[in-house]
Amino acid sequence: KAGVTQTPRYLIKTRGQQVTLSCSPISGHRSVSWYQQTPGQGLQFLFEYFSETQRNKGNFPGRFSGRQFSNSRSEMNVSTLELGDSALYLCASSLEGGINTGELFFGEGSRLTVL
Amino acid sequence: AQSVAQPEDQVNVAEGNPLTVKCTYSVSGNPYLFWYVQYPNRGLQFLLKYITGDNLVKGSYGFEAEFNKSQTSFHLKKPSALVSDSALYFCAVRDLGKSTFGDGTTLTVKP
């Protein structure tokens, strides 16, 4: 069974540009969540999608957005990039046996560098 | 609001010795608690979880965790550490579908 796949794995952008990251969850998983990981802030929750609906949102500015498609694949977009957006962006999927009881399965992450 | 604290940034143990990585939590409802491990340049991997029932939870790679409701703790343990256990460990609490992670504890196991 294939794991969570994130693309691209590495990317470099300049300030002011925008970026789109993609995540394919494990087959059968309908919940997809996104996290930002930085050395200073640790793991910060961005948002969670379930059946194409955003169910939860973290404390990030509106420049960060996401969506989920009918096949459960998800994308997140960051517009007007800032230097502080440099981070490892992790996607995780979950089999919804219960909203809080399912463990997360993480992808390898997309490492974004903003110059 | 839910929160997780991992009081130790770093834990060092010798191979073969028991290890403990500490975690305390705060949540308004029932605690759903998880441990994950992250190796360099990789995503997080699930180790074990506490949902309900027995306070001692067993997980992957010989790890276990003890849930203590009165102390609001969920410490990760292993009876005999391996060098290959060296990694970054995260405790997490989940509520309303949102997972909140601790800052992580770097475990170093020396031969």
Side-chain angles (χ1 to χ4, degrees), chain A residues 56 100-104 108, chain B residues 36 38 42 49 94 96-97:
Chain A
N56 276 295
N100 290 322
T101 60
E103 59 269 28
L104 299 176
E108 302 277 272
Chain B
Y36 294 87
Q38 186 178 33
R42 305 291 297 274
K49 65 181 177 182
R94 196 164 186 198
L96 298 176

Side-chain angles (χ1 to χ4, degrees), chain A residues 14-15 81-87 113-115:
Chain A
T14 57
R15 279 181 298 174
L81 284 166
E82 301 176 358
L83 295 179
D85 296 333
S86 295
T113 301
V114 182
L115 303 177

